[in-house]
Amino acid sequence: MAHRIITQIVVTGSRVLGRALTEAYKQAQASSNYARAQAKINPNGTSSSRGGVLGSSGMTLDEACKVLNVKPPSGAQTNVEEVMERFKKLFDANDPQKGGSFYLQSKVLRARERIEAEIRPAMEKAAQEAEVKEGFKPKLYKDR
């Protein structure tokens, strides 16, 4: 009699666990498909117009600006010196060796990386335009 009850419990538990694993797999597959579709729409993973798009750091642009207490870049224009100044101040203030929080320090680092990822394409474009403006001047080295 006891073996019959134990068998029923095992079979019922296996069914429940099997259904749960199946549903989890379906959710993971749907999430993967959604992420793949979003990557096709926006290959860089950044967008200043929405402000809520997650980069590789997993932080939104708005959250990054709040962490560093800077204005969001408008049209990829921002004061890089101000961002770096705030970053250095907050990063040093949260140093675990000085009694700070490693979690907060990593948040500050991710915030700086997120803002840099947002403005990097505009900075590269400006550098290319400056190079084109001054003309191509290759560096020449004399052989000995």
Side-chain angles (χ1 to χ4, degrees), residues 2-78:
H3 66 283
R4 188 173 188 185
I5 294 173
I6 292 172
T7 304
Q8 286 179 344
I9 291 173
V10 168
V11 169
T12 304
S14 298
R15 285 183 185 168
V16 170
L17 187 62
R19 287 182 185 156
L21 290 174
T22 303
E23 287 299 316
Y25 178 76
K26 287 179 184 177
Q27 275 186 338
Q29 189 67 26
S31 176
S32 175
N33 290 340
Y34 177 76
R36 196 173 305 123
Q38 289 299 318
K40 285 182 181 178
I41 292 171
N42 189 7
N44 294 336
T46 61
S47 172
S48 60
S49 62
R50 293 194 295 183
V53 177
L54 298 176
S56 61
S57 65
M59 182 180 287
T60 64
L61 181 61
D62 291 335
E63 183 182 0
C65 291
K66 287 178 184 176
V67 167
L68 291 177
N69 194 22
V70 294
K71 294 178 184 175
S74 57
Q77 298 296 324
T78 189

Side-chain angles (χ1 to χ4, degrees), residues 93-109:
N94 290 300
D95 188 9
Q97 299 293 329
K98 299 177 184 175
S101 168
F102 178 74
Y103 173 76
L104 292 177
Q105 192 180 42
S106 64
K107 277 289 200 187
V108 169
L109 177 68

